[in-house]
Amino acid sequence: MNEEQLAEILKYSSPNTLYIVTWNNLLKLLFCPFEVVVKHPIGDLNEGEKVLVEAVKVTAEIKTVFIVKGRAYFYYHFEIV
C-alpha cells in the first residue's frame, strides 16, 4: 500500500473513536478516553493496571495503536473494560 492509498483510508478514521464488536455481536462505538487493562508488563505499564486510552492511531501497515500516557502501544497488549 502506498502513501496515497493509506491517506485515502485514513481520511475516514478518527483518533478519538474506536468501533468494536461485543461478545454478543453488537457493534459499539467507544470514545476516547476509554479504559483498558494491561494484559502483561510492557514499557512503564504493569500487568492488571487499568489505564486510559487517550487516542487511537494506526501504523503504515494498518495495525491499531493505542496512545496511553503519551506513548504508543499495539492494541493487543490491552483488554477493553
Side-chain angles (χ1 to χ4, degrees):
M1 175 177 301
N2 64 33
E3 288 183 21
E4 189 174 303
Q5 292 169 323
L6 180 60
E8 180 69 22
I9 292 170
L10 294 180
K11 76 179 185 180
Y12 299 107
S13 70
S14 167
N16 299 314
T17 60
L18 177 69
Y19 283 97
I20 61 167
V21 178
T22 64
W23 63 273
N24 55 347
N25 289 328
L26 296 176
L27 185 63
K28 187 173 180 180
L29 177 61
L30 298 179
F31 294 94
C32 293
F34 57 89
E35 193 172 52
V36 294
V37 175
V38 181
K39 287 184 176 179
H40 51 268
I42 180 136
D44 296 335
L45 307 176
N46 299 313
E47 182 176 352
E49 183 179 356
K50 289 184 179 180
V51 294
L52 293 176
V53 174
E54 302 160 5
V56 179
K57 307 282 186 168
V58 293
T59 66
E61 295 80 27
I62 314 295
K63 292 192 181 193
T64 303
V65 174
F66 290 165
I67 306 301
V68 176
K69 297 182 181 180
R71 296 186 64 190
Y73 300 95
F74 287 112
Y75 73 95
Y76 50 77
H77 297 296
F78 304 95
E79 184 173 326
I80 296 173
V81 177

